[in-house]
Amino acid sequence: MCGIVAYTGSKSCQHLLLEGLKRLEYRGYDSAGIATIENGRIRVVKTVGRVANLEDKLEEVGGLRGTIGMCHTRWATHGGVTDPNAHPHTDDRAGICLIHNGIIENYAALKTYLQEKGHTFSSDTDTEVLAMLIGELYDGDLEAAVQAALREVTGAYGIVVMCEREPDTLVAARKGSPLMVGVGDGEFIIASDGSAIVSHTSQAFALEDYQVVKVTPTGFRTSTIHNVPVTPKVQQLEIELEEIELGGFSHFMQKEIFEQPKALANTFRGRIDAKEGKVVLGGVATLAKELIRARRTILLGQGTALHAAMIGEYMLEDLAKIGAVAEYASEFRYRNPIIEEGTVAIAVSQSGETADTLAALLEAKERGALALGVINVVGSTIARETDAGVYLRVGPEIGVASTKAFVGQVAVLTLLALWWARRRQMSADQCAEMLRHLETVPEKIERILAQDAQIRRVTEKYVERENWLFLGRGYNYPTALEGALKLKEISYIHAEGMPAAEMKHGPIALINDGMPAVFIANRGRQYDKVMSNIAEVKARGGHVIAVATEGDTQIAKHAHDVLYIPDIPEALSPMLAVVPLQLMAYHAAVLRGHDVDKPRNLAKSVTVE
Ligand code: F6R
C-alpha cells in the first residue's frame, strides 16, 4: 500500500530517495515524507499530497543533506491525511526515525503503555507508536531495540528505522509487507519493491516474515526478530528499466493496455505445444499426480483478480470438467469453509501481496487444500506460500487499474484448464485446436487496439452520463463486471456490471432516457438471449453500446454503437472483449480530466484487510 525507500552509503541521498519514491508512488499517494541524518541530527520533511508536493516543500527548506535517509509515500489507514500523520515518524527520546507499511493491530494497548511511561504523541497513527516503542527499548543497539519491539507487536509491517546515535545504520524488518534490500558497492538501498532499486543495483534479496536486516555502508547482517542469524539469497533483480518507464505513453495504464499483445506472447512462450495438443507448465509438474486426482477447485481473489478467477471457474468446469467455484478471498477466509479431500485452492493475484487473498489461501491450506498460485510478481508472499503455481510473466504492472495482469490471469487460467482437461478427458485434437486459437489472441488484441480512436469517439458520446450498466452472459459476465470496475475506479462514474439476465430482476428500473448500457454481445451460446436483453434496454430508452464479433451484420440494427472484436471460441473471448472496455474506461477518465494512474482513494496493492 505504501512506498518505502531508504539508503545508506556514500552519496548524498535526497535526490536518489525521491527518484525511487516516484517509482513507487503508485503504491499510495495521499502524503509523502523524507528524512535524512544531517550532521548527526534527524531532519524530517513531510506533506500531504504527492511526491511533487514534497519536492516543493524541500525546495522551500533548502533541501536535506546526508548520506543516509529514508522516504515514504502513504496510503492512509490509521489517522487522516494530514502532515503530522505522514511518515517518517520520530520518537521523543532516542533519536529514532521510522517509516512503515502495514498495520500495527495492538497499537492502542502499546500507546497506553507508552503514555504511562511519559511519552507524548503528535500523530494519530499506529506507526508513531512503533517509533516510540523502539525508542523506549533503545539501549545503544538499534538492531536489538527493533527486534525487541517487534516481539511485542501484532499486525503487519515492512519498516525501516534509523537512529541519530548510529548515523550510518539502517535496520529494516518485515512481516506481511514486502521489503527488498538492494546490495550495491559500498551502499544499500531498501525498498518496498524492486522498481525503486533497479536503477542502482541489480543484486537484491527479499526479507522474509519476521526477519530483520541491519545495514551499514560496509555490509549487512540478517536475523530473525529473536536474533537468530539467517542467510539471505542475493539474486539478480528481473526488472528491465524500460518496463517501469512510460516510454512515450501518457499513462502507465495506457502503456499496459497497449502492451497486452507482447505480455501475452510472454505468458505463452514455451508453454503451448499446439502441434501435439499439449500444455507445458513446469510450475505445476511436481504436483501433476495430485492435481489430476483433484475433485474440486476454489479460486480466490479480489477485485479484478476475482473477475479473472470467475472466468477460470467457467473454464475449469466447461473445459476440464472439474468442479470449480470462484470466491471473494475476503469472504472465504471468515466463513468457516468446508474443504473436502481433493480440493485445490487457486490464489489469483497480480501483486502476490493482497492480504485477503493470502489469508484465504492459508486458511484453505490449513484445512487440507493443495495451494496453487496464479501470480505475477515472482517471489511475492502468496507465490511463496503456494505448493505450486504458474506465473503470469506480463511484466511489472504500475497502473493502479489492473489491465495486462487481468488478461494474463485469464490466459494462465486458460492454460491451466487445458492442462487439466488434457489429463482428464479432452482429446489431443480438441486441445490442439483450442491452443491454436489461444495463440491468435495477441494478434487479435492488436487489431482491437488499432480501433483506439473509434473507441475514444464512442466514449466521448457518453462520458457526461453518471450511471452506466455493463451486461454479459456466461464467460463474459465476469468481463462485464471488469468493465464496470475499470470505469468506476478511474473515471468515478457509477457503473454496475451484472449478468444480462439479472437485469429484469430489478436493475431494469434504473434505465432511463440515454443511459449507457454496454453489452458484451459476441457470438456464443447465449447470443440470442443477449439480443433480447438489448431489445429490453432499448425499449426503455437506454443507449446500447455493443461489443460484438466482426462480421456480425445484425447487431448494428439493434445497438446505438458497436465495437467489434475478432471471432474466437467463446471460452477465449473475455481476453478480447475486455480490451475495448479498458480503453473506454481509460478515455473516460482522461476526458474527465482525472489522474489515470493515481485514482482517488486507491493504491496498487492492498496489503491490509
Ligand atoms: C482493479 C485492481 C484491483 C486488484 C485487487 C487484487 O483494477 O487492480 O481490484 O485486482 O486489489 O489485487 P492483486 O491482483 O494484486 O491481488
Side-chain angles (χ1 to χ4, degrees):
M1 306 289 284
C2 305
I4 283 180
V5 193
Y7 174 87
T8 182
S10 57
K11 295 182 188 136
S12 172
C13 63
Q14 175 188 307
H15 175 71
L16 183 155
L17 289 172
L18 290 174
E19 182 207 327
L21 200 59
K22 281 187 199 149
R23 293 208 189 279
L24 298 189
E25 216 176 354
Y26 71 104
R27 295 180 72 96
Y29 34 81
D30 57 40
S31 29
I34 182 167
T36 61
I37 300 183
E38 201 180 302
N39 302 325
R41 308 298 302 181
I42 283 170
R43 279 189 70 199
V44 179
V45 178
K46 51 191 189 177
T47 177
V48 298
R50 305 280 165 87
V51 177
N53 300 60
L54 180 63
E55 286 179 316
D56 293 345
K57 204 159 173 181
L58 278 164
E59 214 173 293
E60 279 166 31
V61 300
L64 294 184
R65 272 152 287 277
T67 56
I68 181 168
M70 54 174 66
C71 60
H72 185 271
T73 172
R74 177 172 187 242
W75 188 86
T77 56
H78 288 68
V81 180
T82 62
D83 284 2
N85 287 344
H87 300 213
H89 287 281
T90 49
D91 82 321
D92 55 357
R93 281 186 201 163
I96 300 290
C97 182
L98 178 146
I99 48 179
H100 170 220
N101 179 16
I103 292 181
I104 306 300
E105 284 166 8
N106 58 340
Y107 81 101
L110 292 171
K111 190 166 182 173
T112 309
Y113 161 79
L114 290 161
Q115 278 165 333
E116 281 165 5
K117 292 235 162 214
H119 293 275
T120 48
F121 290 82
S122 52
S123 82
D124 311 316
T125 63
D126 51 335
T127 303
E128 190 186 14
V129 175
L130 187 53
M132 292 283 186
L133 182 62
I134 294 170
E136 171 66 26
L137 298 170
Y138 185 75
D139 189 16
D141 182 347
L142 183 62
E143 185 189 20
V146 170
Q147 288 167 332
L150 294 179
R151 291 198 291 270
E152 303 302 322
V153 154
T154 54
Y157 51 81
I159 55 166
V160 185
V161 194
M162 61 186 184
C163 175
E164 283 176 356
R165 296 189 216 167
E166 299 175 46
D168 63 355
T169 304
L170 293 173
V171 175
R174 159 202 166 125
K175 198 228 140 189
S177 292
L179 271 189
M180 313 255 338
V181 182
V183 182
D185 188 8
E187 58 180 8
F188 290 85
I189 183 150
I190 302 175
S192 45
D193 83 50
S195 53
I197 295 178
V198 70
S199 58
H200 301 280
T201 172
S202 58
Q203 296 297 302
F205 64 90
L207 279 185
E208 304 280 339
D209 278 353
Y210 302 107
Q211 283 184 358
V212 177
V213 63
K214 171 185 175 173
V215 295
T216 65
T218 52
F220 68 89
R221 173 183 185 267
T222 37
S223 59
T224 68
I225 60 168
H226 297 284
N227 200 27
V228 178
V230 287
T231 311
K233 216 159 110 196
V234 179
Q235 283 176 321
Q236 180 81 12
L237 270 177
E238 280 178 22
I239 300 175
E240 300 293 333
L241 263 182
E242 67 172 37
E243 291 180 327
I244 54 173
E245 279 170 357
L246 274 172
F249 286 93
S250 305
H251 299 97
F252 281 106
M253 180 185 182
Q254 185 192 32
K255 177 183 180 228
E256 287 158 9
I257 293 172
F258 279 83
E259 251 170 27
Q260 290 178 117
K262 197 173 116 208
L264 281 191
N266 247 340
T267 305
F268 295 150
R269 188 160 301 122
R271 290 168 167 172
I272 294 180
D273 182 347
K275 247 198 207 140
E276 299 290 320
K278 242 172 63 184
V279 176
V280 184
L281 296 179
V284 295
T286 48
L287 286 184
K289 267 197 204 128
E290 290 86 336
L291 292 175
I292 293 163
R293 280 202 300 265
R295 295 205 206 128
R296 189 165 170 259
T297 55
I298 302 172
L299 297 105
L300 301 162
Q302 293 292 138
T304 289
L306 178 71
H307 300 151
M310 290 168 76
I311 296 166
E313 168 190 353
Y314 280 69
M315 283 191 293
L316 285 165
E317 297 209 327
D318 189 21
L319 305 175
K321 312 287 180 223
I322 180 165
V325 58
E327 282 205 48
Y328 282 108
S330 54
E331 291 299 314
F332 175 88
R333 63 182 288 196
Y334 288 120
R335 70 169 176 75
N336 206 4
I338 293 175
I339 301 284
E340 293 151 16
E341 211 189 310
T343 299
V344 179
I346 307 175
V348 183
S349 174
Q350 187 285 127
S351 61
E353 302 294 344
T354 301
D356 282 317
T357 309
L358 171 64
L361 186 80
L362 295 179
E363 183 69 34
K365 248 174 103 172
E366 172 84 18
R367 290 169 186 246
L370 205 66
L372 285 194
V374 172
I375 312 284
N376 194 33
V377 178
V378 176
S380 54
T381 310
I382 302 180
R384 284 186 281 148
E385 288 295 344
T386 54
D387 299 308
V390 185
Y391 281 119
L392 308 186
R393 296 192 199 147
V394 296
E397 189 180 67
I398 292 169
V400 169
S402 183
T403 52
K404 65 174 178 176
F406 174 79
V407 294
Q409 285 157 350
V410 177
V412 165
L413 288 164
T414 311
L415 291 172
L416 205 52
L418 290 171
W419 180 94
W420 239 311
R422 214 23 223 110
R423 282 159 180 80
R424 289 165 73 90
Q425 88 311 324
M426 188 180 265
S427 72
D429 284 351
Q430 281 172 318
C431 188
E433 198 189 330
M434 280 301 276
L435 290 173
R436 276 195 295 276
H437 285 296
L438 192 58
E439 282 181 317
T440 67
V441 171
E443 176 266 322
K444 286 179 174 165
I445 292 182
E446 210 72 82
R447 274 158 57 191
I448 301 168
L449 295 172
Q451 300 169 47
D452 184 39
Q454 192 222 339
I455 295 170
R456 185 184 156 104
R457 276 195 298 277
V458 171
T459 312
E460 257 171 347
K461 284 167 71 173
Y462 302 100
V463 74
E464 299 302 333
R465 305 294 303 206
E466 290 301 337
N467 294 293
W468 294 45
L469 286 182
F470 286 76
L471 302 138
R473 282 173 175 253
Y475 278 109
N476 282 305
Y477 151 49
T479 316
L481 296 182
E482 178 59 8
L485 178 62
K486 284 289 90 85
L487 189 67
K488 61 188 143 194
E489 64 184 331
I490 54 168
S491 70
Y492 320 141
I493 292 171
H494 174 237
E496 278 196 54
M498 68 192 76
E502 181 64 12
M503 187 184 63
K504 286 202 282 294
H505 298 276
I508 198 164
L510 292 170
I511 294 168
N512 57 15
D513 219 20
M515 179 180 190
V518 180
F519 276 88
I520 296 123
N522 56 316
R523 266 198 216 104
R525 281 175 281 197
Q526 302 195 58
Y527 177 78
D528 291 340
K529 299 200 188 304
V530 174
M531 294 306 280
S532 307
N533 298 136
I534 287 178
E536 288 153 10
V537 168
K538 254 186 110 177
R540 286 158 184 84
H543 273 219
V544 173
I545 305 155
V547 174
T549 312
E550 277 171 7
D552 180 344
T553 50
Q554 292 305 305
I555 191 90
K557 294 182 197 141
H558 304 281
H560 295 80
D561 290 282
V562 186
L563 304 172
Y564 289 99
I565 59 171
D567 198 9
I568 196 139
E570 203 178 341
L572 308 181
S573 64
M575 283 179 279
L576 303 188
V578 77
V579 179
L581 309 187
Q582 295 169 337
L583 285 169
M584 283 182 86
Y586 173 74
H587 290 307
V590 172
L591 288 162
R592 285 182 161 227
H594 299 313
D595 187 344
V596 174
D597 285 332
K598 297 186 188 69
R600 74 177 176 215
N601 305 339
L602 293 177
K604 182 65 183 161
S605 131
V606 186
T607 53
V608 293
E609 259 190 73

mmCIF file of all heavy atoms in Angstrom, residues 128-156:
data_model
loop_
_atom_site.group_PDB
_atom_site.id
_atom_site.type_symbol
_atom_site.label_atom_id
_atom_site.label_comp_id
_atom_site.label_asym_id
_atom_site.label_seq_id
_atom_site.Cartn_x
_atom_site.Cartn_y
_atom_site.Cartn_z
ATOM 1 N N GLU A 128 3.613 5.810 14.634
ATOM 2 C CA GLU A 128 4.336 6.594 15.635
ATOM 3 C C GLU A 128 4.499 5.776 16.925
ATOM 4 O O GLU A 128 5.524 5.874 17.616
ATOM 5 C CB GLU A 128 3.593 7.908 15.924
ATOM 6 C CG GLU A 128 4.424 8.850 16.779
ATOM 7 C CD GLU A 128 3.664 10.105 17.197
ATOM 8 O OE1 GLU A 128 2.423 10.153 17.060
ATOM 9 O OE2 GLU A 128 4.323 11.038 17.690
ATOM 10 N N VAL A 129 3.508 4.939 17.222
ATOM 11 C CA VAL A 129 3.580 4.100 18.419
ATOM 12 C C VAL A 129 4.794 3.170 18.321
ATOM 13 O O VAL A 129 5.539 2.983 19.285
ATOM 14 C CB VAL A 129 2.267 3.279 18.569
ATOM 15 C CG1 VAL A 129 2.372 2.304 19.735
ATOM 16 C CG2 VAL A 129 1.080 4.213 18.753
ATOM 17 N N LEU A 130 5.005 2.635 17.137
ATOM 18 C CA LEU A 130 6.150 1.730 16.959
ATOM 19 C C LEU A 130 7.472 2.490 17.094
ATOM 20 O O LEU A 130 8.428 2.000 17.710
ATOM 21 C CB LEU A 130 6.047 1.030 15.589
ATOM 22 C CG LEU A 130 7.064 -0.060 15.302
ATOM 23 C CD1 LEU A 130 7.099 -1.113 16.412
ATOM 24 C CD2 LEU A 130 6.760 -0.744 13.964
ATOM 25 N N ALA A 131 7.523 3.705 16.551
ATOM 26 C CA ALA A 131 8.750 4.515 16.685
ATOM 27 C C ALA A 131 9.048 4.766 18.168
ATOM 28 O O ALA A 131 10.189 4.629 18.630
ATOM 29 C CB ALA A 131 8.587 5.832 15.940
ATOM 30 N N MET A 132 7.984 5.096 18.916
ATOM 31 C CA MET A 132 8.163 5.371 20.359
ATOM 32 C C MET A 132 8.606 4.111 21.099
ATOM 33 O O MET A 132 9.430 4.166 22.009
ATOM 34 C CB MET A 132 6.838 5.845 20.967
ATOM 35 C CG MET A 132 6.407 7.182 20.468
ATOM 36 S SD MET A 132 7.322 8.519 21.236
ATOM 37 C CE MET A 132 6.427 9.889 20.555
ATOM 38 N N LEU A 133 8.015 2.995 20.727
ATOM 39 C CA LEU A 133 8.344 1.739 21.411
ATOM 40 C C LEU A 133 9.821 1.392 21.190
ATOM 41 O O LEU A 133 10.531 0.998 22.118
ATOM 42 C CB LEU A 133 7.434 0.611 20.898
ATOM 43 C CG LEU A 133 7.618 -0.744 21.553
ATOM 44 C CD1 LEU A 133 7.298 -0.683 23.054
ATOM 45 C CD2 LEU A 133 6.724 -1.809 20.893
ATOM 46 N N ILE A 134 10.284 1.570 19.964
ATOM 47 C CA ILE A 134 11.701 1.283 19.678
ATOM 48 C C ILE A 134 12.587 2.243 20.491
ATOM 49 O O ILE A 134 13.581 1.841 21.090
ATOM 50 C CB ILE A 134 11.984 1.380 18.158
ATOM 51 C CG1 ILE A 134 11.231 0.255 17.424
ATOM 52 C CG2 ILE A 134 13.492 1.284 17.874
ATOM 53 C CD1 ILE A 134 11.223 0.372 15.909
ATOM 54 N N GLY A 135 12.158 3.502 20.546
ATOM 55 C CA GLY A 135 12.910 4.483 21.329
ATOM 56 C C GLY A 135 12.950 4.091 22.802
ATOM 57 O O GLY A 135 13.987 4.191 23.459
ATOM 58 N N GLU A 136 11.813 3.643 23.312
ATOM 59 C CA GLU A 136 11.715 3.243 24.717
ATOM 60 C C GLU A 136 12.671 2.073 25.017
ATOM 61 O O GLU A 136 13.289 2.006 26.075
ATOM 62 C CB GLU A 136 10.251 2.835 25.000
ATOM 63 C CG GLU A 136 9.972 2.179 26.329
ATOM 64 C CD GLU A 136 10.186 3.123 27.522
ATOM 65 O OE1 GLU A 136 10.056 4.347 27.330
ATOM 66 O OE2 GLU A 136 10.508 2.619 28.626
ATOM 67 N N LEU A 137 12.802 1.173 24.043
ATOM 68 C CA LEU A 137 13.616 -0.026 24.275
ATOM 69 C C LEU A 137 15.083 0.179 23.874
ATOM 70 O O LEU A 137 15.909 -0.708 24.060
ATOM 71 C CB LEU A 137 13.025 -1.215 23.478
ATOM 72 C CG LEU A 137 11.600 -1.618 23.888
ATOM 73 C CD1 LEU A 137 11.019 -2.627 22.905
ATOM 74 C CD2 LEU A 137 11.595 -2.199 25.301
ATOM 75 N N TYR A 138 15.381 1.326 23.264
ATOM 76 C CA TYR A 138 16.741 1.562 22.755
ATOM 77 C C TYR A 138 17.752 1.704 23.893
ATOM 78 O O TYR A 138 17.559 2.489 24.814
ATOM 79 C CB TYR A 138 16.769 2.829 21.886
ATOM 80 C CG TYR A 138 18.118 3.059 21.247
ATOM 81 C CD1 TYR A 138 18.535 2.289 20.171
ATOM 82 C CD2 TYR A 138 18.981 4.036 21.734
ATOM 83 C CE1 TYR A 138 19.779 2.494 19.580
ATOM 84 C CE2 TYR A 138 20.220 4.249 21.156
ATOM 85 C CZ TYR A 138 20.619 3.457 20.074
ATOM 86 O OH TYR A 138 21.845 3.663 19.499
ATOM 87 N N ASP A 139 18.824 0.912 23.757
ATOM 88 C CA ASP A 139 19.855 0.977 24.797
ATOM 89 C C ASP A 139 21.230 0.903 24.131
ATOM 90 O O ASP A 139 22.066 0.073 24.476
ATOM 91 C CB ASP A 139 19.625 -0.215 25.746
ATOM 92 C CG ASP A 139 20.499 -0.112 26.985
ATOM 93 O OD1 ASP A 139 21.018 0.993 27.230
ATOM 94 O OD2 ASP A 139 20.686 -1.131 27.671
ATOM 95 N N GLY A 140 21.384 1.688 23.063
ATOM 96 C CA GLY A 140 22.682 1.715 22.387
ATOM 97 C C GLY A 140 22.820 0.728 21.240
ATOM 98 O O GLY A 140 23.858 0.682 20.585
ATOM 99 N N ASP A 141 21.779 -0.056 20.970
ATOM 100 C CA ASP A 141 21.850 -1.039 19.877
ATOM 101 C C ASP A 141 20.520 -1.036 19.118
ATOM 102 O O ASP A 141 19.523 -1.600 19.580
ATOM 103 C CB ASP A 141 22.153 -2.425 20.458
ATOM 104 C CG ASP A 141 22.285 -3.495 19.360
ATOM 105 O OD1 ASP A 141 21.898 -3.209 18.200
ATOM 106 O OD2 ASP A 141 22.758 -4.596 19.668
ATOM 107 N N LEU A 142 20.517 -0.365 17.961
ATOM 108 C CA LEU A 142 19.258 -0.192 17.212
ATOM 109 C C LEU A 142 18.660 -1.531 16.786
ATOM 110 O O LEU A 142 17.453 -1.755 16.902
ATOM 111 C CB LEU A 142 19.506 0.699 15.979
ATOM 112 C CG LEU A 142 18.270 1.021 15.153
ATOM 113 C CD1 LEU A 142 17.240 1.792 15.970
ATOM 114 C CD2 LEU A 142 18.633 1.831 13.903
ATOM 115 N N GLU A 143 19.517 -2.412 16.299
ATOM 116 C CA GLU A 143 19.033 -3.708 15.832
ATOM 117 C C GLU A 143 18.316 -4.449 16.976
ATOM 118 O O GLU A 143 17.203 -4.974 16.807
ATOM 119 C CB GLU A 143 20.223 -4.534 15.330
ATOM 120 C CG GLU A 143 19.849 -5.854 14.711
ATOM 121 C CD GLU A 143 21.091 -6.704 14.438
ATOM 122 O OE1 GLU A 143 22.151 -6.440 15.051
ATOM 123 O OE2 GLU A 143 20.998 -7.623 13.614
ATOM 124 N N ALA A 144 18.923 -4.449 18.137
ATOM 125 C CA ALA A 144 18.322 -5.146 19.282
ATOM 126 C C ALA A 144 17.014 -4.481 19.685
ATOM 127 O O ALA A 144 16.033 -5.167 20.027
ATOM 128 C CB ALA A 144 19.302 -5.147 20.451
ATOM 129 N N ALA A 145 16.966 -3.151 19.625
ATOM 130 C CA ALA A 145 15.732 -2.448 20.018
ATOM 131 C C ALA A 145 14.598 -2.764 19.045
ATOM 132 O O ALA A 145 13.448 -2.967 19.440
ATOM 133 C CB ALA A 145 15.993 -0.944 20.064
ATOM 134 N N VAL A 146 14.933 -2.824 17.760
ATOM 135 C CA VAL A 146 13.900 -3.142 16.764
ATOM 136 C C VAL A 146 13.400 -4.572 16.983
ATOM 137 O O VAL A 146 12.190 -4.839 17.003
ATOM 138 C CB VAL A 146 14.452 -2.961 15.318
ATOM 139 C CG1 VAL A 146 13.479 -3.515 14.286
ATOM 140 C CG2 VAL A 146 14.741 -1.491 15.047
ATOM 141 N N GLN A 147 14.318 -5.493 17.178
ATOM 142 C CA GLN A 147 13.907 -6.886 17.411
ATOM 143 C C GLN A 147 13.001 -6.985 18.635
ATOM 144 O O GLN A 147 11.950 -7.623 18.597
ATOM 145 C CB GLN A 147 15.143 -7.775 17.623
ATOM 146 C CG GLN A 147 15.943 -8.012 16.350
ATOM 147 C CD GLN A 147 17.311 -8.609 16.639
ATOM 148 O OE1 GLN A 147 17.896 -8.398 17.702
ATOM 149 N NE2 GLN A 147 17.835 -9.360 15.665
ATOM 150 N N ALA A 148 13.407 -6.306 19.706
ATOM 151 C CA ALA A 148 12.625 -6.384 20.949
ATOM 152 C C ALA A 148 11.240 -5.770 20.740
ATOM 153 O O ALA A 148 10.224 -6.323 21.181
ATOM 154 C CB ALA A 148 13.367 -5.658 22.067
ATOM 155 N N ALA A 149 11.169 -4.653 20.039
ATOM 156 C CA ALA A 149 9.869 -4.001 19.819
ATOM 157 C C ALA A 149 8.965 -4.892 18.980
ATOM 158 O O ALA A 149 7.776 -5.039 19.267
ATOM 159 C CB ALA A 149 10.087 -2.654 19.131
ATOM 160 N N LEU A 150 9.538 -5.506 17.964
ATOM 161 C CA LEU A 150 8.702 -6.309 17.064
ATOM 162 C C LEU A 150 8.194 -7.579 17.750
ATOM 163 O O LEU A 150 7.165 -8.121 17.352
ATOM 164 C CB LEU A 150 9.467 -6.652 15.777
ATOM 165 C CG LEU A 150 9.773 -5.426 14.912
ATOM 166 C CD1 LEU A 150 10.551 -5.821 13.669
ATOM 167 C CD2 LEU A 150 8.493 -4.680 14.525
ATOM 168 N N ARG A 151 8.886 -7.999 18.789
ATOM 169 C CA ARG A 151 8.378 -9.153 19.546
ATOM 170 C C ARG A 151 7.106 -8.773 20.317
ATOM 171 O O ARG A 151 6.342 -9.625 20.711
ATOM 172 C CB ARG A 151 9.464 -9.684 20.492
ATOM 173 C CG ARG A 151 10.638 -10.341 19.744
ATOM 174 C CD ARG A 151 11.469 -11.228 20.640
ATOM 175 N NE ARG A 151 12.226 -10.485 21.641
ATOM 176 C CZ ARG A 151 13.473 -10.002 21.472
ATOM 177 N NH1 ARG A 151 14.096 -10.198 20.314
ATOM 178 N NH2 ARG A 151 14.085 -9.348 22.436
ATOM 179 N N GLU A 152 6.869 -7.475 20.492
ATOM 180 C CA GLU A 152 5.672 -7.017 21.224
ATOM 181 C C GLU A 152 4.501 -6.680 20.294
ATOM 182 O O GLU A 152 3.419 -6.344 20.748
ATOM 183 C CB GLU A 152 5.998 -5.731 22.018
ATOM 184 C CG GLU A 152 7.144 -5.858 23.002
ATOM 185 C CD GLU A 152 6.888 -6.959 24.015
ATOM 186 O OE1 GLU A 152 5.736 -7.121 24.456
ATOM 187 O OE2 GLU A 152 7.865 -7.684 24.343
ATOM 188 N N VAL A 153 4.765 -6.742 19.014
ATOM 189 C CA VAL A 153 3.808 -6.191 18.050
ATOM 190 C C VAL A 153 2.984 -7.296 17.389
ATOM 191 O O VAL A 153 3.507 -8.348 17.050
ATOM 192 C CB VAL A 153 4.625 -5.411 16.975
ATOM 193 C CG1 VAL A 153 3.913 -5.335 15.662
ATOM 194 C CG2 VAL A 153 4.982 -4.034 17.488
ATOM 195 N N THR A 154 1.669 -7.059 17.233
ATOM 196 C CA THR A 154 0.907 -7.927 16.340
ATOM 197 C C THR A 154 0.441 -7.069 15.169
ATOM 198 O O THR A 154 0.188 -5.873 15.329
ATOM 199 C CB THR A 154 -0.313 -8.589 17.026
ATOM 200 O OG1 THR A 154 -1.098 -7.550 17.608
ATOM 201 C CG2 THR A 154 0.081 -9.599 18.080
ATOM 202 N N GLY A 155 0.335 -7.700 14.015
ATOM 203 C CA GLY A 155 -0.075 -6.941 12.837
ATOM 204 C C GLY A 155 0.894 -7.174 11.695
ATOM 205 O O GLY A 155 1.636 -8.154 11.687
ATOM 206 N N ALA A 156 0.854 -6.244 10.751
ATOM 207 C CA ALA A 156 1.699 -6.405 9.567
ATOM 208 C C ALA A 156 2.650 -5.219 9.491
ATOM 209 O O ALA A 156 2.284 -4.095 9.841
ATOM 210 C CB ALA A 156 0.841 -6.434 8.318
#
